[in-house]
Amino acid sequence: MTKLEQRAGARLAVVQALYDMDISGKGVLDALAEFEAHWIGREIDGVAHPPAEVAFFRDLLRGTVEEQRQIDPQIDQALTQGWPLRRIETVLRAILRAGTYELMFRKDVPPRAAISQYVDVAHSFYTGDEPGLVNAVLDRIARKVRGDELTTQKRG
């Protein structure tokens, strides 16, 4: 399994963990322990959970939670007026938060790659317009926080 596939698995696990934390009220340490011990790379009730790069999973989960006060306003500004983040469904909110964390704080990941990966995660959960919303919101945030990289990526 490639590093890219393991990172995709980590992103999917982070979204699931954020959702679980939102619903259950669990903290980061409990979620990390549970997902590493029982979910990542296992099959549960006939659903295969892909292997994941554990260090990347840990950073994304911790970072998304620790930086939420900086992340949420970015998402609110990028959403269509009248649709604040608190009105967004829980899984979609988790996808947007994790994607925004990666765009803001993981400069080692190219912005277009991060956006594409979170659109793929959205496709894992939704068949409607939600992946397009993820693409649009994360693209707006990327242009704001890493716009210089987006213009150089296009030219390069």
Side-chain angles (χ1 to χ4, degrees), residues 63-114:
T64 300
V65 172
E66 288 171 7
E67 304 295 348
Q68 193 172 322
R69 284 197 177 101
Q70 289 184 63
I71 291 168
D72 285 1
Q74 293 290 338
I75 299 170
D76 267 331
Q77 290 171 18
L79 283 166
T80 305
Q81 197 165 1
W83 280 97
L85 184 60
R86 69 186 184 305
R87 287 184 62 189
I88 300 291
E89 188 270 327
T90 309
V91 173
L92 199 51
R93 191 168 50 233
I95 293 168
L96 292 172
R97 282 178 172 155
T100 301
Y101 169 76
E102 211 167 319
L103 289 169
M104 291 176 71
F105 298 100
R106 290 297 306 239
K107 303 295 187 194
D108 59 313
V109 178
R112 291 196 195 293

Side-chain angles (χ1 to χ4, degrees), residues 1-155:
M1 177 164 265
T2 68
K3 183 173 181 165
L4 193 61
E5 291 168 323
Q6 289 209 358
R7 284 200 163 189
R11 288 178 178 102
L12 182 62
V14 162
V15 168
Q16 292 168 323
L18 289 168
Y19 171 83
D20 186 46
M21 290 169 64
D22 205 6
I23 299 301
S24 69
K26 272 183 203 136
V28 172
L29 294 178
D30 288 338
L32 285 169
E34 180 182 326
F35 271 76
E36 288 178 36
H38 302 294
W39 292 90
I40 295 175
R42 298 206 170 33
E43 187 172 314
I44 314 282
D45 298 328
V47 177
H49 297 273
E53 183 184 324
V54 175
F56 191 63
F57 167 73
R58 288 176 182 163
D59 178 72
L60 292 180
L61 187 61
R62 278 194 186 113
T64 300
V65 172
E66 288 171 7
E67 304 295 348
Q68 193 172 322
R69 284 197 177 101
Q70 289 184 63
I71 291 168
D72 285 1
Q74 293 290 338
I75 299 170
D76 267 331
Q77 290 171 18
L79 283 166
T80 305
Q81 197 165 1
W83 280 97
L85 184 60
R86 69 186 184 305
R87 287 184 62 189
I88 300 291
E89 188 270 327
T90 309
V91 173
L92 199 51
R93 191 168 50 233
I95 293 168
L96 292 172
R97 282 178 172 155
T100 301
Y101 169 76
E102 211 167 319
L103 289 169
M104 291 176 71
F105 298 100
R106 290 297 306 239
K107 303 295 187 194
D108 59 313
V109 178
R112 291 196 195 293
I115 294 167
S116 174
Q117 288 286 309
Y118 285 101
V119 169
D120 288 348
V121 169
H123 279 293
S124 300
F125 295 100
Y126 302 102
T127 57
D129 296 334
E130 292 86 353
L133 174 74
V134 168
N135 187 50
V137 170
L138 293 181
D139 183 67
R140 282 185 206 126
I141 291 167
R143 287 176 192 287
K144 183 174 178 188
V145 300
R146 293 175 71 182
D148 55 330
E149 289 177 63
L150 290 173
T151 51
T152 53
Q153 268 188 345
K154 258 187 196 164
R155 282 188 222 123

